[in-house]
Amino acid sequence: MKAVSQPLDAAAGLDSFEPLENCHRETLRMLGEMAMLVARIEQVGVDPRAREMARTVSRYFGEELRRHHADEEAHVFPALAACGDPETEQAIARLKQDHAWLRADWRVLSPLVQALAQEHHSVIRGA
């Protein structure tokens, strides 16, 4: 990738990339939380702890991650694209596609996770 002539965080209107990096770390943690939720349901069933885990996962993927992606697409990607590097533009296109896939996956998972969070766990087989 071509070097950006000014610091990207300044070009993107950000004080630093730390909030974005923190969100990426939190996304990995929440994916782990979702895996633990599935394991808990398989081992214990739907109990108060599983419902709380579902609420946490639902809030994160339904609200925080959506805002994070909107921020990246509105502020970071345009600043990156401004450098005019074809490799960078391809990377941005891949990231935008990843965001679209994540939105589509969440549209499928969200009703199930929300049903668990709201104690309507009959949507889960074996619950």
Side-chain angles (χ1 to χ4, degrees), residues 14-25:
L14 302 170
D15 292 334
S16 80
F17 277 112
E18 188 174 345
L20 297 175
E21 292 170 2
N22 288 341
C23 191
H24 291 159
R25 281 190 289 276

Side-chain angles (χ1 to χ4, degrees), residues 113-124:
V113 175
Q114 288 178 2
L116 283 168
Q118 297 169 3
E119 301 187 37
H120 301 292
H121 57 270
S122 61
V123 296
I124 306 297

